[in-house]
Amino acid sequence: MLDTKALLVAAAAIAGFAAAPTEADALTPLSMDLAIDPSVAEGPSEHATLAPVAFERAPDEAYEPVARVTNRRARLQCVPFARNESGVEIYGNANTWWRQAAGRYETSQAPEERAVLVLEGYNTTARGHVAVVTEVVSPRMIIVDHANWLNAGEITRDVPVRDVSEAGDWSEVQVWNIPTRQWGVRRYNVQGFILNVLTAEAQAQAAALAQQASASASEAAIPVG
C-alpha cells in the first residue's frame, strides 16, 4: 500500500506530465504569438492595393546616361571588339556581318542582351558598324558597348541607343554622343541583331566536322605495317 508521501509524489508526476507540451505545440515557436501584429495582418498590404501604373518605369527621357570612354588607347576597330565581347565568331568588315550571319547565327529584328547590333553606314552601305547590347532599357532604348565609334580606336561603354523609326521596329536609330553629351544628329539604318546562337544547320555542320576530325585522328593513330 502506498503511503501519503508516495501518493503526493505520484500526483505531482501526473500533473507535470499533463502540463508537458504536445508534439504539435513543441513545433510552434514560443514567440510566434508575439510576432504577429493583428493590425498588420488585417486586410491587404499597401503594395497589394497599388494600381499597375504605379510600377511602371520612368520614361526614356528620364534616363541619365553614364556613357564614357574607358580606354582611349585601345586602338581597336569595332569588329574585333564585338567579336571578343559577344562570342559571335564572324570576321571581316562590319558591313559584311549581317550577310555572313545568315545561316550561321540566329538573328532578330528586336534587341536582346549580348546580341550584336549591326548598323549600316550613314547615307551609304559602304561602311558599317557593330556594337554589343549590354542592356535593354525599354522597348525603344538599349545600352551598348563598342569600339572606334569616335574614329580614334577607343572603347566606349554604357552608350545609349534609341529606336527612332516610325514603326518602332528598330530599323533606324540614334546613338548618344559622348563629347557633346546629347543625342547624335545622324540616324543610322539597322540591319538587325545577331545572337550568339548557332542555327540548327550550323550546329549539324559543326557536329559533322567534329566527327570527321575525330575519325581522321583515330586513323592517324593506327600503326602501319
Side-chain angles (χ1 to χ4, degrees):
M1 179 178 294
L2 296 175
D3 56 17
T4 302
K5 182 177 180 180
L7 290 173
L8 291 175
V9 171
I14 294 173
F17 177 81
T22 64
E23 182 178 358
D25 292 335
L27 295 176
T28 304
L30 297 179
S31 61
M32 181 64 71
D33 292 339
L34 298 177
I36 298 177
D37 185 348
S39 65
V40 174
E42 291 178 359
S45 69
E46 175 187 357
H47 292 88
T49 59
L50 289 176
V53 68
F55 294 95
E56 292 183 358
R57 58 174 297 279
D60 290 347
E61 291 75 14
Y63 186 84
E64 297 183 4
V66 293
R68 64 208 183 279
V69 177
T70 59
N71 189 342
R72 296 184 182 276
R73 300 181 180 180
R75 298 180 180 178
L76 271 179
Q77 296 294 321
C78 63
V79 165
F81 177 84
R83 183 170 55 246
N84 292 336
E85 293 281 317
S86 69
V88 174
E89 290 293 327
I90 296 180
Y91 294 77
N93 292 336
N95 63 348
T96 69
W97 271 48
W98 189 251
R99 183 173 67 253
Q100 290 192 63
R104 294 177 57 190
Y105 287 96
E106 297 286 349
T107 60
S108 173
Q109 295 305 130
E112 295 186 23
E113 289 187 7
R114 309 315 304 172
V116 176
L117 165 66
V118 185
L119 301 180
E120 285 186 333
Y122 178 66
N123 282 342
T124 176
T125 58
R127 297 183 64 186
H129 184 76
V130 287
V132 181
V133 179
T134 59
E135 181 184 353
V136 178
V137 177
S138 76
R140 304 201 69 170
M141 183 184 292
I142 59 176
I143 305 300
V144 305
D145 290 346
H146 55 182
N148 201 41
W149 182 253
L150 303 177
N151 295 316
E154 77 295 330
I155 294 174
T156 49
R157 296 189 182 275
D158 298 325
V159 181
V161 176
R162 67 180 179 183
D163 173 26
V164 292
S165 62
E166 293 184 2
D169 59 1
W170 284 95
S171 59
E172 192 177 24
V173 299
Q174 284 180 312
V175 181
W176 182 261
N177 187 282
I178 293 178
T180 62
R181 302 301 299 171
Q182 62 185 3
W183 289 104
V185 177
R186 292 181 176 179
R187 296 183 174 214
Y188 298 89
N189 293 326
V190 178
Q191 291 184 287
F193 299 85
I194 303 174
L195 314 182
N196 186 13
V197 179
L198 291 176
T199 62
E201 179 182 358
Q203 291 182 34
Q205 292 176 352
L209 290 174
Q211 187 175 7
Q212 291 177 5
S214 178
S216 299
S218 298
E219 291 176 0
I222 299 175
V224 179

